[in-house]
Amino acid sequence: MREIKYIKTTAADIELLMKVRLEMLREVNNLSDEYVYDETLVAESRKYFESGNQTTVLAMDNNDVVGCASISYIWIMPTFDHPTGKRAHLMNVYTKATYRRQGISKRMVEMLIDEAREQGVTEISLDSTKMGRPLYEALGFEASCAGMVMELR
C-alpha cells in the first residue's frame, strides 16, 4: 500500500497548485491535452492561491501530487445562526483516477473541516458533482434548498 503524505500548501507551492488545478479542470470538463486555458482563468486561479484567504491541502505520493482540496474563507455580516459571520466554501476536491477509493479525498476534506472549526467558521458550503455527493454526505454535509443564486455573466 502506498504511503500518502498530506501537506497544507504555502506560497512556495504555487506551481504544484496551478498544475493540479488545471489537471483537475481538464478531467472534470473532459478537455483534450491540447486544450488552451483562458488567460483570465489561469491568472485569477493563481491570484486565488496567492491571496492567503484560503487553505489548500495536497496529497502527495513521493513527489507526485495525487489529490487536492481547497477551502476559501468568507466573512459576511453576522446573523443569529452565524454570529461570527465566518463561513467557508469547500472546492477543488480532486483525486487522480488511479488513487480514488482509498480515502484520500476524505482525509483532505477532514483536514480542512478541522481547520475551519479552529478558525471559528460556523458553516461550510460546497458545490458537488454527482460522484462527490456520497463522500460529502458521509462527512455530514446535507443538501440545502435554503439559498438562491443569480449568475452574472
Side-chain angles (χ1 to χ4, degrees), residues 7-139:
I7 61 167
K8 288 185 183 177
T9 61
T10 68
D13 300 310
I14 188 65
E15 295 310 320
L16 285 175
L17 289 166
M18 290 301 297
K19 181 181 176 198
V20 73
R21 171 72 175 151
L22 297 177
E23 179 182 312
M24 187 263 317
L25 288 174
R26 187 178 314 281
E27 183 176 327
V28 169
N29 293 292
N30 297 314
L31 303 174
S32 72
D33 289 341
E34 293 79 36
Y35 181 81
V36 177
Y37 289 98
D38 178 82
E39 289 179 25
T40 302
L41 174 74
V42 174
E44 290 298 316
S45 294
R46 182 176 290 276
K47 189 163 66 172
Y48 164 80
F49 287 124
E50 293 174 337
S51 76
N53 204 21
Q54 58 82 32
T55 299
T56 298
V57 173
L58 295 179
M60 308 289 296
D61 184 0
N62 292 315
N63 292 325
D64 295 325
V65 177
V66 299
C68 63
S70 296
I71 195 165
S72 292
Y73 295 101
I74 307 159
W75 185 47
I76 64 170
M77 185 178 294
T79 65
F80 286 109
D81 290 338
H82 307 284
T84 66
K86 292 180 181 179
R87 298 187 189 192
H89 190 78
L90 181 68
M91 66 187 90
N92 205 39
V93 178
Y94 169 72
T95 303
K96 286 186 177 183
T98 56
Y99 288 82
R100 292 187 184 143
R101 303 279 178 233
Q102 298 177 36
I104 293 171
S105 287
K106 181 180 182 195
R107 179 69 192 119
M108 291 185 296
V109 172
E110 287 171 336
M111 289 174 69
L112 294 173
I113 291 169
D114 289 345
E115 179 174 293
R117 274 194 188 99
E118 291 170 11
Q119 298 287 328
V121 168
T122 57
E123 178 182 81
I124 301 173
S125 60
L126 61 85
D127 301 313
S128 176
T129 62
K130 186 176 181 180
M131 184 171 64
R133 282 190 178 273
L135 166 67
Y136 303 125
E137 289 169 349
L139 288 167

